[in-house]
Structures are given as C-alpha cells and as structure tokens.
Amino acid sequence: MEEEGMIDQEMQHCRKIVRFDPTISTANQGDFIIRNACEHVLHDCFPVQLSVAVPVRDRLSKVSMKHVGSADFAFVCGTNLLSSDMRRQRMWNIRLRDAVMMRCGDLHKRELLNFRLIREKFQRTHVILLGAGWYQYQAEPTGYTKRILKALLDGQYLHAVRDEYTRQRLLKLGITNVLNTACPTMWGLTDDKCAQIPTHKAERVVTTLTDYRSSPEQDAQMLTMLQKHYREVYVWLQAVEDYACLRQMDARVTQNLHLIQPNLRDYTALLASGGIDYVGTRLHGGIHAMNMGCRSLILAVDNRASEIAKDTNLPVLPRGGNLDVLEERICSAWETQIDLPATAIRQWKNQFCETDAEKVP
C-alpha cells in the first residue's frame, strides 16, 4: 500500500508532453541533433512525463490531433518551420483547419456549437515554440499566416525562438510572448564548455556541404583550402542528397576525401576521436561539433547561421566571402566565446516549474 501511495504521488506530477518532431520523415541528420537537444531540455523541465511524438513534415492524423488536444503541453521542436506564407510554404505541414481540429477533435458534433466549451479548449491546449526559426529572408507575412499562427500558438506561455529575426517577425504579427533563446542545440555551450574547445588548428578537419544551397565553385574552393591546411579531410553527409554536391566537382578536388556516412552515430564517433576541427556549411553539423569539444567554423549559406551569429557570436563566416579571411581564420588561434541569452533561457524554462525550489537559478 505504501508503494502504491508513492507511485500515485509521483504520477500526480506526471505531464503528458507532445513533441512536434522534425525527425519524422526527414533525410537531414541535423533534425536529429535538434530533436535530441529539445528532448534534453524537456526532460529537465518535466522529469516525470509521458512523451508522444507527432510529425511536422507530414499531415497530422486524427490520432495525432487527439494527442495534441489531450496534452498538458505540446512543443514545436525547431527548425525552419515558420514562413511568411504558410499556405504555400509548408515547412510545417499544417493547415488552419488542423489548428481547430487538434483542439476540438474529441468533441461531439453537437458540442461544436458550444462556443464556451470551444473557447475553453483553445485556452487549455498549450502549443509552444522551442527553438523554431523563420524560413529565409522573406516579404511580410500574409493574412493567412497571421491567422494560423494566432490559432496554433499559446497566447500566454512564452515561446522560444532561435534568433532575433524570428522574434521580430512574430512581434509584427501581434504575438508578443516570445523570447530569443538561441537554438536549444546551443544551450549547453556555456563559458566552461567553450573554454575546453581548442584554440589552435587541428591536424584533421571534417566538413559538410548543403545540397539545397549548392555552389560547385565555392564548395570546391573550400575543399581545396582544407586539403591545403589539414593532413586529412573528412566529409560528413548530413543529408543523403549532399553527395550530389561532390559529384558535381572535378575528381581532382574530391579524390583524397574521406566520406562519413549520413548518420549521427558515425559523425559523433569521428568527433569523439579527437584532434579534429569542423569547417563546413551545415549549421547543426558545426554546433554538434562544438558540443563535442571541437573547434568549429560555420560557413553561412542562408539566414540561419548568420542571424544566430549576430545574437550569440557563433563562429560564422559567409560562404563565398574573401578566401584570405577564411584562410587566416583557419590558420590562426582564436577562442570560442558564445554569448548565450542565459536570462531568456532561464525565463523560458522556469515558466514550467511548479515550485520555487524547481526553478533554474
């Protein structure tokens, strides 16, 4: 009986947590890096939880909608999910009707006429952003985008977005309960962690390419420079499609490269072997390397790395910029110093703590 009482007491603190999971139906291993970081954050916030994953790239099924509707909290885990035209650019594959159904899908037809009940449903379904970002630099959001985000996102709990550009976009839509927390994949890059990252060039380097921002000339220049300054050059295929970038280049550029298969296990093992830098175009490939204690330099191909760098001092250079600047950065000594928005991160986490004793200091 005593054990049953302890179990009941523990389950009183259990929360049903739904994750809008970017790894479902993805070919990009960067989504797994984001998912893993979000899981770690949510475990800190909710040590006792029942966790359910639903897709962001596929349409929500009726079962998924009911899970969202019955959850204590539903978290949107990363990534480039928000856009100015969410009717046409379905980075988050959701429709306005879905936003209503996942809150009211368990109601009987006659209950759909009960506006008080529907209003209560909308108030109780807490869909909250955790590290989401805006897809590219775009024109002003459409009216449809404003309606769907207003219908989807909780109006009281604070949302965490990865950069100030995204926060400003949401503020203009009238969604003001938003914090710029940087990407959750970076939350572990504390001063102590960064101090352990080497300051001098290693003997080996791992790089990445980006299939949807391919530039054969610029990518070949990067690979040639890496082979000039490193004894061994590895290429991690963060997505299967990245292999096509290599095939577009002259064989003389690629013949001495070592390929790392497109899975996170092999990439992590390479980073853990030590004595290796990261220089490449994939944002989360670089952040993962930093979390593994490797000196990293990210070459930005779109707004994600550039915007995060403005806010946090993430080591970023533009791909296709001055090659002398890139060469000097590779060969010189420098410290990794990340300016985490620690106050915003604490504020976002602490809103889920039920007692002052649980709050993050």
Coordinates of all heavy atoms in Angstrom, one line a residue, residues 199-268:
T199 N 42.0 26.1 -29.2 CA 42.1 27.4 -29.8 C 43.0 27.4 -31.1 O 42.9 28.3 -31.9 CB 42.8 28.5 -28.9 OG1 44.1 28.0 -28.5 CG2 41.9 28.7 -27.7
H200 N 43.8 26.3 -31.3 CA 44.7 26.2 -32.4 C 44.2 25.1 -33.4 O 43.4 24.2 -33.0 CB 46.1 25.8 -32.0 CG 46.8 26.9 -31.2 ND1 46.6 27.2 -29.9 CD2 47.8 27.8 -31.7 CE1 47.3 28.2 -29.6 NE2 48.1 28.6 -30.6
K201 N 44.6 25.2 -34.6 CA 44.2 24.3 -35.7 C 44.6 22.9 -35.4 O 45.7 22.6 -34.9 CB 44.8 24.8 -37.0 CG 44.4 24.0 -38.2 CD 45.0 24.5 -39.5 CE 46.5 24.2 -39.5 NZ 46.7 22.7 -39.7
A202 N 43.7 22.0 -35.7 CA 44.0 20.5 -35.5 C 44.7 20.0 -36.8 O 44.8 20.7 -37.8 CB 42.7 19.8 -35.2
E203 N 45.1 18.8 -36.7 CA 45.7 18.1 -37.9 C 44.6 17.6 -38.9 O 44.9 17.5 -40.1 CB 46.6 16.9 -37.5 CG 47.8 17.4 -36.7 CD 48.8 18.1 -37.7 OE1 49.0 17.6 -38.8 OE2 49.2 19.2 -37.3
R204 N 43.4 17.4 -38.4 CA 42.4 16.8 -39.3 C 41.2 17.8 -39.2 O 41.0 18.6 -38.3 CB 41.9 15.5 -38.8 CG 43.1 14.4 -38.7 CD 42.5 13.1 -38.3 NE 41.9 13.1 -37.0 CZ 41.0 12.2 -36.5 NH1 40.6 11.3 -37.3 NH2 40.5 12.4 -35.3
V205 N 40.3 17.7 -40.2 CA 39.1 18.5 -40.3 C 38.0 17.7 -40.9 O 38.2 16.8 -41.8 CB 39.4 19.8 -41.1 CG1 39.6 19.5 -42.6 CG2 38.2 20.8 -41.0
V206 N 36.8 18.0 -40.5 CA 35.6 17.4 -41.1 C 34.7 18.6 -41.6 O 34.7 19.6 -41.0 CB 34.7 16.6 -40.1 CG1 34.3 17.4 -38.9 CG2 33.5 15.9 -40.8
T207 N 34.2 18.4 -42.8 CA 33.4 19.4 -43.4 C 32.1 18.9 -43.9 O 31.8 17.7 -43.8 CB 34.2 20.0 -44.7 OG1 33.5 21.2 -45.2 CG2 34.3 19.0 -45.8
T208 N 31.2 19.8 -44.3 CA 29.9 19.5 -44.8 C 29.5 20.3 -46.0 O 30.1 21.4 -46.1 CB 28.8 19.7 -43.7 OG1 28.9 21.0 -43.2 CG2 28.9 18.6 -42.6
L209 N 28.6 19.9 -46.8 CA 28.1 20.6 -47.9 C 26.6 20.7 -47.8 O 26.0 20.0 -46.9 CB 28.5 19.9 -49.2 CG 30.0 19.7 -49.5 CD1 30.2 18.8 -50.7 CD2 30.7 21.0 -49.6
T210 N 25.9 21.5 -48.5 CA 24.5 21.7 -48.4 C 23.8 21.6 -49.7 O 24.0 22.5 -50.6 CB 24.2 23.1 -47.8 OG1 24.9 23.2 -46.5 CG2 22.7 23.3 -47.5
D211 N 23.1 20.6 -49.9 CA 22.6 20.3 -51.3 C 21.6 21.4 -51.8 O 21.7 21.8 -53.0 CB 21.8 18.9 -51.3 CG 20.5 19.0 -50.5 OD1 20.6 19.1 -49.2 OD2 19.4 18.8 -51.1
Y212 N 20.8 22.0 -50.9 CA 19.8 22.9 -51.4 C 20.4 24.3 -51.5 O 19.7 25.3 -52.0 CB 18.6 23.0 -50.5 CG 18.9 23.3 -49.0 CD1 19.0 24.7 -48.6 CD2 19.1 22.4 -48.1 CE1 19.2 25.0 -47.3 CE2 19.4 22.7 -46.8 CZ 19.4 24.0 -46.4 OH 19.7 24.3 -45.1
R213 N 21.7 24.5 -51.2 CA 22.4 25.7 -51.4 C 23.8 25.4 -52.1 O 24.8 26.0 -51.7 CB 22.6 26.5 -50.1 CG 21.4 27.3 -49.6 CD 21.2 28.5 -50.5 NE 20.1 29.3 -50.0 CZ 18.8 29.1 -50.3 NH1 18.5 28.1 -51.1 NH2 17.8 29.8 -49.8
S214 N 23.7 24.5 -53.0 CA 24.9 24.0 -53.7 C 25.6 25.1 -54.5 O 24.9 25.9 -55.2 CB 24.6 22.8 -54.6 OG 25.8 22.4 -55.3
S215 N 26.9 25.2 -54.4 CA 27.7 26.1 -55.3 C 29.0 25.4 -55.6 O 29.9 25.5 -54.8 CB 28.0 27.5 -54.6 OG 28.8 28.3 -55.3
P216 N 29.0 24.7 -56.7 CA 30.2 23.9 -57.0 C 31.5 24.6 -57.0 O 32.5 24.1 -56.4 CB 29.9 23.4 -58.4 CG 28.4 23.4 -58.5 CD 28.0 24.5 -57.7
E217 N 31.5 25.9 -57.4 CA 32.8 26.6 -57.5 C 33.2 27.0 -56.0 O 34.4 26.8 -55.7 CB 32.6 27.9 -58.3 CG 33.8 28.8 -58.3 CD 33.7 30.0 -59.1 OE1 32.6 30.2 -59.7 OE2 34.6 30.9 -59.2
Q218 N 32.3 27.5 -55.2 CA 32.6 27.9 -53.9 C 32.9 26.7 -53.0 O 33.8 26.8 -52.2 CB 31.5 28.8 -53.3 CG 31.3 30.1 -54.0 CD 30.1 30.9 -53.5 OE1 29.3 30.4 -52.7 NE2 30.0 32.1 -53.9
D219 N 32.2 25.7 -53.2 CA 32.4 24.4 -52.4 C 33.8 23.8 -52.7 O 34.5 23.4 -51.8 CB 31.3 23.4 -52.6 CG 30.0 23.8 -52.0 OD1 30.0 24.7 -51.1 OD2 28.9 23.3 -52.4
A220 N 34.1 23.9 -54.0 CA 35.4 23.3 -54.4 C 36.6 24.2 -53.9 O 37.6 23.6 -53.4 CB 35.5 23.3 -55.9
Q221 N 36.4 25.5 -53.8 CA 37.4 26.4 -53.2 C 37.6 26.0 -51.7 O 38.7 26.0 -51.2 CB 37.0 27.8 -53.4 CG 37.1 28.3 -54.8 CD 36.5 29.7 -55.0 OE1 35.8 30.2 -54.1 NE2 36.9 30.4 -56.1
M222 N 36.5 25.8 -51.0 CA 36.6 25.4 -49.6 C 37.3 24.1 -49.4 O 38.3 24.0 -48.6 CB 35.2 25.3 -49.0 CG 35.2 24.9 -47.6 SD 33.5 24.5 -46.9 CE 33.1 23.0 -47.8
L223 N 37.0 23.1 -50.2 CA 37.6 21.8 -50.1 C 39.1 21.9 -50.4 O 40.0 21.2 -49.8 CB 36.9 20.8 -51.0 CG 35.5 20.4 -50.6 CD1 34.9 19.5 -51.6 CD2 35.5 19.7 -49.2
T224 N 39.5 22.6 -51.5 CA 40.9 22.8 -51.8 C 41.7 23.4 -50.7 O 42.8 23.0 -50.4 CB 41.0 23.6 -53.1 OG1 40.3 23.0 -54.2 CG2 42.4 23.8 -53.5
M225 N 41.1 24.5 -50.1 CA 41.8 25.1 -49.0 C 41.9 24.2 -47.8 O 43.0 24.2 -47.1 CB 41.0 26.4 -48.6 CG 41.7 27.1 -47.5 SD 41.0 28.8 -47.2 CE 41.4 29.6 -48.7
L226 N 40.9 23.4 -47.5 CA 41.0 22.5 -46.4 C 42.1 21.4 -46.6 O 42.8 21.1 -45.7 CB 39.7 21.8 -46.1 CG 38.5 22.7 -45.7 CD1 37.2 21.9 -45.4 CD2 38.9 23.5 -44.4
Q227 N 42.2 21.0 -47.8 CA 43.2 20.0 -48.1 C 44.6 20.6 -48.1 O 45.6 19.9 -47.8 CB 43.0 19.4 -49.5 CG 41.7 18.5 -49.5 CD 41.4 17.9 -50.9 OE1 42.0 16.8 -51.2 NE2 40.6 18.5 -51.7
K228 N 44.7 21.9 -48.3 CA 46.0 22.6 -48.2 C 46.5 22.7 -46.8 O 47.7 22.5 -46.5 CB 45.8 24.0 -48.8 CG 47.1 24.8 -48.7 CD 46.8 26.2 -49.2 CE 48.0 27.2 -49.0 NZ 47.7 28.6 -49.5
H229 N 45.6 22.8 -45.8 CA 46.0 23.1 -44.5 C 45.8 22.0 -43.5 O 46.2 22.1 -42.3 CB 45.2 24.4 -44.0 CG 45.6 25.6 -44.7 ND1 46.9 26.2 -44.5 CD2 45.0 26.4 -45.6 CE1 46.9 27.3 -45.2 NE2 45.8 27.4 -45.9
Y230 N 45.1 20.9 -43.9 CA 44.9 19.8 -43.0 C 45.4 18.5 -43.6 O 45.4 18.3 -44.8 CB 43.4 19.6 -42.7 CG 42.8 20.7 -41.9 CD1 42.2 21.8 -42.5 CD2 42.8 20.6 -40.5 CE1 41.6 22.8 -41.7 CE2 42.2 21.6 -39.7 CZ 41.7 22.7 -40.3 OH 41.1 23.7 -39.5
R231 N 45.9 17.6 -42.7 CA 46.5 16.4 -43.2 C 45.4 15.4 -43.7 O 45.7 14.7 -44.7 CB 47.2 15.7 -42.0 CG 47.8 14.3 -42.3 CD 48.8 13.9 -41.2 NE 48.1 14.0 -39.9 CZ 47.3 13.1 -39.4 NH1 47.0 12.0 -40.0 NH2 46.8 13.2 -38.1
E232 N 44.3 15.4 -43.1 CA 43.1 14.6 -43.5 C 41.9 15.4 -43.5 O 41.6 16.2 -42.6 CB 43.0 13.4 -42.6 CG 44.1 12.4 -42.7 CD 43.8 11.2 -41.7 OE1 43.3 11.4 -40.6 OE2 44.1 10.1 -42.1
V233 N 41.1 15.2 -44.6 CA 39.8 15.9 -44.7 C 38.7 14.9 -44.9 O 38.7 14.1 -45.8 CB 39.8 16.9 -46.0 CG1 38.5 17.6 -46.1 CG2 41.0 17.9 -45.9
Y234 N 37.7 15.0 -43.9 CA 36.5 14.2 -44.0 C 35.3 15.0 -44.4 O 35.2 16.2 -44.1 CB 36.3 13.6 -42.6 CG 37.4 12.7 -42.0 CD1 38.5 13.3 -41.4 CD2 37.3 11.3 -42.1 CE1 39.5 12.5 -40.9 CE2 38.3 10.5 -41.6 CZ 39.4 11.1 -41.0 OH 40.4 10.3 -40.5
V235 N 34.4 14.3 -45.1 CA 33.2 14.9 -45.5 C 32.0 14.1 -44.9 O 31.9 13.0 -45.2 CB 33.0 15.0 -47.0 CG1 31.6 15.6 -47.4 CG2 34.1 15.8 -47.7
W236 N 31.3 14.8 -44.0 CA 30.1 14.2 -43.4 C 28.9 14.5 -44.3 O 28.6 15.7 -44.5 CB 29.9 14.6 -42.0 CG 28.6 13.9 -41.4 CD1 28.3 12.6 -41.5 CD2 27.6 14.6 -40.6 NE1 27.1 12.4 -40.8 CE2 26.7 13.6 -40.3 CE3 27.4 15.9 -40.2 CZ2 25.5 13.8 -39.5 CZ3 26.2 16.2 -39.5 CH2 25.3 15.1 -39.1
L237 N 28.2 13.5 -44.7 CA 27.0 13.7 -45.5 C 25.8 13.9 -44.5 O 25.2 12.9 -44.0 CB 26.7 12.6 -46.4 CG 27.8 12.3 -47.4 CD1 27.4 11.0 -48.3 CD2 28.0 13.5 -48.4
Q238 N 25.5 15.2 -44.1 CA 24.5 15.4 -43.1 C 23.1 15.0 -43.7 O 22.2 14.6 -43.0 CB 24.4 16.9 -42.7 CG 23.4 17.1 -41.6 CD 23.5 18.5 -41.1 OE1 24.6 19.0 -40.6 NE2 22.4 19.3 -41.1
A239 N 23.0 15.0 -45.0 CA 21.8 14.5 -45.7 C 22.3 13.7 -46.9 O 23.4 14.0 -47.5 CB 20.9 15.7 -46.2
V240 N 21.6 12.7 -47.3 CA 22.0 11.8 -48.4 C 22.2 12.7 -49.7 O 23.1 12.4 -50.5 CB 20.9 10.7 -48.6 CG1 21.2 9.9 -49.9 CG2 20.8 9.8 -47.4
E241 N 21.3 13.7 -49.8 CA 21.4 14.5 -51.1 C 22.7 15.3 -51.2 O 23.0 15.7 -52.3 CB 20.2 15.5 -51.1 CG 18.8 14.8 -51.2 CD 18.3 14.3 -49.9 OE1 19.0 14.4 -48.9 OE2 17.1 13.8 -49.9
D242 N 23.4 15.4 -50.1 CA 24.6 16.2 -50.2 C 25.7 15.5 -51.0 O 26.6 16.2 -51.5 CB 25.2 16.4 -48.8 CG 24.3 17.3 -47.9 OD1 23.4 17.9 -48.4 OD2 24.5 17.3 -46.6
Y243 N 25.6 14.2 -51.2 CA 26.5 13.5 -52.1 C 26.5 14.1 -53.5 O 27.6 14.1 -54.2 CB 26.2 12.0 -52.1 CG 27.2 11.2 -52.9 CD1 28.5 11.1 -52.5 CD2 26.8 10.4 -54.0 CE1 29.4 10.4 -53.2 CE2 27.7 9.7 -54.7 CZ 29.0 9.6 -54.3 OH 29.9 8.9 -55.0
A244 N 25.4 14.6 -54.0 CA 25.3 15.1 -55.3 C 26.2 16.3 -55.5 O 26.7 16.6 -56.6 CB 23.9 15.5 -55.6
C245 N 26.4 17.1 -54.4 CA 27.3 18.2 -54.4 C 28.8 17.8 -54.8 O 29.5 18.4 -55.6 CB 27.4 19.0 -53.1 SG 25.8 19.6 -52.6
L246 N 29.2 16.7 -54.2 CA 30.5 16.2 -54.5 C 30.7 15.7 -56.0 O 31.7 15.9 -56.6 CB 30.9 15.0 -53.6 CG 31.1 15.4 -52.1 CD1 31.3 14.1 -51.3 CD2 32.4 16.2 -52.0
R247 N 29.6 15.1 -56.5 CA 29.7 14.6 -57.8 C 29.7 15.6 -58.9 O 30.1 15.4 -60.0 CB 28.5 13.7 -58.1 CG 28.4 12.5 -57.1 CD 27.5 11.4 -57.6 NE 27.9 10.8 -58.9 CZ 27.3 9.9 -59.5 NH1 26.1 9.4 -59.1 NH2 27.8 9.4 -60.7
Q248 N 29.4 16.9 -58.5 CA 29.4 18.0 -59.5 C 30.8 18.5 -59.6 O 31.1 19.4 -60.5 CB 28.5 19.1 -59.0 CG 27.0 18.7 -59.0 CD 26.1 19.8 -58.4 OE1 26.5 21.0 -58.4 NE2 24.9 19.5 -58.0
M249 N 31.7 18.1 -58.8 CA 33.1 18.7 -58.7 C 34.1 17.9 -59.5 O 33.8 16.7 -59.8 CB 33.6 18.9 -57.3 CG 32.7 19.8 -56.4 SD 33.4 19.9 -54.8 CE 32.0 20.5 -53.9
D250 N 35.1 18.5 -59.9 CA 36.2 17.8 -60.6 C 36.8 16.7 -59.6 O 37.0 17.0 -58.4 CB 37.3 18.8 -60.9 CG 38.4 18.3 -61.8 OD1 39.1 17.3 -61.4 OD2 38.5 18.8 -63.0
A251 N 37.1 15.6 -60.2 CA 37.6 14.5 -59.4 C 38.9 14.8 -58.7 O 39.2 14.2 -57.6 CB 37.8 13.2 -60.3
R252 N 39.7 15.7 -59.2 CA 40.9 16.1 -58.6 C 40.7 16.8 -57.2 O 41.6 16.8 -56.4 CB 41.7 17.0 -59.5 CG 42.3 16.3 -60.7 CD 42.9 17.3 -61.7 NE 41.9 18.2 -62.3 CZ 42.2 19.1 -63.2 NH1 43.4 19.3 -63.6 NH2 41.2 19.9 -63.7
V253 N 39.5 17.4 -57.1 CA 39.2 18.0 -55.8 C 38.8 17.0 -54.8 O 39.0 17.2 -53.6 CB 38.1 19.1 -56.0 CG1 37.7 19.7 -54.7 CG2 38.6 20.2 -57.0
T254 N 38.1 16.0 -55.2 CA 37.4 15.0 -54.3 C 38.2 13.7 -54.0 O 37.8 13.0 -53.2 CB 36.0 14.7 -54.8 OG1 36.1 14.1 -56.1 CG2 35.2 16.0 -54.9
Q255 N 39.2 13.4 -54.8 CA 39.8 12.1 -54.8 C 40.4 11.7 -53.4 O 40.5 10.5 -53.1 CB 40.8 11.9 -55.9 CG 42.0 12.9 -55.8 CD 42.9 12.7 -57.0 OE1 42.8 11.8 -57.8 NE2 43.9 13.6 -57.1
N256 N 40.9 12.7 -52.7 CA 41.5 12.3 -51.4 C 40.7 12.5 -50.2 O 41.2 12.5 -49.0 CB 42.8 13.2 -51.3 CG 43.9 12.8 -52.3 OD1 44.0 11.6 -52.6 ND2 44.5 13.8 -52.8
L257 N 39.4 12.7 -50.4 CA 38.5 13.0 -49.2 C 38.0 11.7 -48.6 O 37.9 10.6 -49.3 CB 37.2 13.8 -49.7 CG 37.5 15.1 -50.4 CD1 36.2 15.7 -50.9 CD2 38.2 16.1 -49.4
H258 N 37.7 11.7 -47.3 CA 37.2 10.5 -46.6 C 35.7 10.8 -46.3 O 35.4 11.8 -45.7 CB 37.9 10.3 -45.3 CG 39.4 10.2 -45.4 ND1 40.0 9.0 -45.9 CD2 40.4 11.1 -45.2 CE1 41.3 9.2 -45.9 NE2 41.6 10.4 -45.5
L259 N 34.8 9.9 -46.8 CA 33.4 10.1 -46.6 C 32.9 9.5 -45.3 O 33.3 8.4 -44.9 CB 32.6 9.5 -47.7 CG 32.5 10.2 -49.0 CD1 31.5 9.5 -50.0 CD2 31.9 11.6 -48.8
I260 N 32.1 10.3 -44.6 CA 31.4 9.8 -43.4 C 29.9 9.6 -43.7 O 29.3 10.5 -44.2 CB 31.6 10.8 -42.2 CG1 33.1 11.0 -41.9 CG2 30.9 10.2 -40.9 CD1 33.9 9.8 -41.5
Q261 N 29.4 8.4 -43.4 CA 28.1 8.1 -43.8 C 27.0 9.0 -43.2 O 27.3 9.6 -42.1 CB 27.8 6.6 -43.5 CG 28.7 5.6 -44.2 CD 28.6 5.8 -45.7 OE1 27.5 5.8 -46.3 NE2 29.7 5.9 -46.3
P262 N 25.9 9.1 -43.8 CA 24.8 10.1 -43.3 C 24.1 9.6 -42.1 O 22.9 9.3 -42.2 CB 23.9 10.3 -44.6 CG 24.1 9.0 -45.3 CD 25.5 8.6 -45.1
N263 N 24.8 9.4 -41.0 CA 24.1 9.1 -39.8 C 24.8 9.8 -38.6 O 26.0 10.0 -38.7 CB 23.9 7.6 -39.5 CG 25.3 6.9 -39.4 OD1 25.9 7.1 -38.3 ND2 25.7 6.2 -40.4
L264 N 24.1 10.1 -37.6 CA 24.7 10.8 -36.5 C 25.7 10.0 -35.7 O 26.6 10.6 -35.1 CB 23.5 11.4 -35.6 CG 23.9 12.4 -34.6 CD1 24.6 13.6 -35.2 CD2 22.6 12.9 -33.8
R265 N 25.5 8.7 -35.6 CA 26.4 7.8 -34.9 C 27.8 7.9 -35.4 O 28.8 8.1 -34.6 CB 25.9 6.4 -34.9 CG 26.7 5.4 -34.1 CD 26.3 4.0 -34.4 NE 26.6 3.6 -35.8 CZ 25.7 3.4 -36.7 NH1 24.4 3.4 -36.4 NH2 26.0 3.1 -38.0
D266 N 28.0 7.8 -36.7 CA 29.3 7.8 -37.3 C 30.0 9.1 -37.1 O 31.2 9.3 -36.9 CB 29.3 7.3 -38.7 CG 29.0 5.8 -38.9 OD1 28.9 5.1 -37.9 OD2 28.9 5.4 -40.0
Y267 N 29.2 10.2 -37.3 CA 29.7 11.5 -37.2 C 30.2 11.8 -35.8 O 31.3 12.4 -35.5 CB 28.6 12.5 -37.6 CG 29.1 14.0 -37.6 CD1 30.3 14.4 -38.2 CD2 28.3 15.0 -36.9 CE1 30.7 15.7 -38.1 CE2 28.7 16.3 -36.9 CZ 29.9 16.7 -37.5 OH 30.3 18.0 -37.4
T268 N 29.4 11.4 -34.8 CA 29.7 11.6 -33.4 C 31.0 10.9 -33.0 O 31.9 11.4 -32.3 CB 28.6 11.2 -32.5 OG1 27.4 12.0 -32.8 CG2 28.9 11.4 -31.0

